[in-house]
């Protein structure tokens, strides 16, 4: 998958113990789990290239869990997040190993695991790399709704195959998924009479803003929180 340098900017400081939830096994994956364990409504969050130990991603998972959803954030990177701080790190090899296609196959296992726990409705949201994974899951009827946040590269063909209600939340400053593309893909989705859709471009923010914002910048925090609310409202509408 082609990526832009924006996909790797503002990397989080990973922390295996952060968040109010716990790490447990689900579908064969180490998974951060938060929210009410007995909820019949679950949300699958698929991380960007930095993986499931990103504190802001877990904080967002906790926020969604507080709304009554069982939230799961699996480690689809197999303990091997993107790491430019490592001088031995090979970007091309990493990208070849961690494809969104593999992420999609893995997501199916987690969804099976959720259904095995008695979950009756599932929403999925993905960030950058994870949004490409979720776009593939949304072409099936395994989930009830999807949200793509600053997606990576998704083709017209892929978006045309979406079968479930989908929201696309994009940044004004985005090389991977320019704002014109948000509008174009929302128009493609809007032609599907059975698929509810929503597209929005957030002004003044760049790719990654929803989970890699600077906590010192009030505008960045507010823009991220606005996107979090839009995502949550989409799930309340279509999953609950």
């Amino acid at each position: 998958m082609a990526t832009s340098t924006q996909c790797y900017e503002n990397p989080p400081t990973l922390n295996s113990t952060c968040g109010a939830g716990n790490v447990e096994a689900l579908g064969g994956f180490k998974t951060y789990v938060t929210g009410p364990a007995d909820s019949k409504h679950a949300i699958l969050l698929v991380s960007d290239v930095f993986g499931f130990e990103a504190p802001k991603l877990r904080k967002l998972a906790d926020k969604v869990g507080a709304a009554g959803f069982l939230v799961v954030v699996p480690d689809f990177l197999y303990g091997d997040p993107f790491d430019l701080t490592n001088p031995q790190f090979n970007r091309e090899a990493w990208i070849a190993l961690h494809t969104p296609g593999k992420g999609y196959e893995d997501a199916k296992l987690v969804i099976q695991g959720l259904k095995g726990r008695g979950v009756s409705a599932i929403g999925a949201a993905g960030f950058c790399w994870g949004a490409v994974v979720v776009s593939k899951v949304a072409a099936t009827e395994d989930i009830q709704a999807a949200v793509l946040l600053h997606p990576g590269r998704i083709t017209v063909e892929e978006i045309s195959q979406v079968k479930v209600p989908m929201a696309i939340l994009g940044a004004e400053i985005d090389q991977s998924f320019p704002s014109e593309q948000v509008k174009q893909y929302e128009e493609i989705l809007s032609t599907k009479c059975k698929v509810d859709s929503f597209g929005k471009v957030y002004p003044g923010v760049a790719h990654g803003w929803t989970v890699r914002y600077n906590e010192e910048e009030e505008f960045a925090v507010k823009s991220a929180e606005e996107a979090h609310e839009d995502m949550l409202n989409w799930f309340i509408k279509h999953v609950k």
Side-chain angles (χ1 to χ4, degrees):
M1 181 185 72
T3 55
S4 83
T5 54
Q6 284 182 310
C7 300
Y8 316 125
E9 288 168 1
N10 311 318
T13 302
L14 302 180
N15 181 345
S16 62
T17 61
C18 64
N22 299 300
V23 174
E24 49 192 82
L26 178 65
F29 296 89
K30 279 177 72 177
T31 303
Y32 178 74
V33 180
T34 186
D38 59 350
S39 177
K40 301 294 180 215
H41 306 100
I43 304 298
L44 165 64
L45 298 184
V46 187
S47 76
D48 58 20
V49 297
F50 298 109
F52 86 133
E53 293 183 349
K56 290 189 179 81
L57 178 59
R58 290 194 176 181
K59 187 176 169 185
L60 175 55
D62 291 340
K63 193 189 289 189
V64 178
F69 293 102
L70 169 65
V71 186
V72 297
V73 193
D75 179 19
F76 288 153
L77 302 180
Y78 295 84
D80 179 33
F82 201 89
D83 184 10
L84 288 176
T85 63
N86 174 3
Q88 259 62 61
F89 184 76
N90 183 323
R91 183 185 302 198
E92 284 67 36
W94 189 96
I95 290 169
L97 190 62
H98 300 289
T99 66
K102 178 76 175 79
Y104 163 65
E105 295 299 328
D106 293 343
K108 287 200 287 193
L109 298 173
V110 168
I111 289 165
Q112 280 174 3
L114 284 170
K115 290 180 176 172
R117 286 176 65 154
V119 167
S120 58
I122 300 170
F127 307 81
C128 185
W129 179 89
V132 185
V133 173
V134 169
S135 72
K136 294 177 184 297
V137 180
T140 71
E141 290 172 342
D142 290 341
I143 59 173
Q144 277 59 56
V147 182
L148 311 182
L149 301 99
H150 41 84
R153 305 280 162 85
I154 297 171
T155 65
V156 167
E157 185 187 2
E158 284 171 322
I159 216 76
S160 299
Q161 291 172 358
V162 166
K163 291 193 174 94
V164 300
M166 175 176 279
I168 304 176
L169 311 184
E172 182 184 14
I173 308 150
D174 198 326
Q175 295 152 6
S176 285
F177 206 90
S179 53
E180 307 78 60
Q181 205 171 340
V182 176
K183 298 183 180 87
Q184 179 198 357
Y185 282 20
E186 208 279 319
E187 281 167 17
I188 293 170
L189 292 170
S190 70
T191 63
K192 296 169 178 278
C193 56
K194 292 183 181 171
V195 177
D196 191 12
S197 60
F198 173 70
K200 182 171 175 179
V201 174
Y202 297 74
V205 295
H207 181 88
W209 95 98
T210 66
V211 283
R212 302 207 299 273
Y213 54 90
N214 181 348
E215 286 169 343
E216 309 295 309
E217 292 177 17
E218 188 184 351
F219 177 77
V221 172
K222 282 175 85 164
S223 296
E225 287 176 348
E226 184 182 336
H228 300 162
E229 282 302 308
D230 290 338
M231 179 187 84
L232 183 55
N233 289 337
W234 191 253
F235 288 139
I236 290 169
K237 181 178 178 184
H238 291 289
V239 180
K240 274 203 161 169

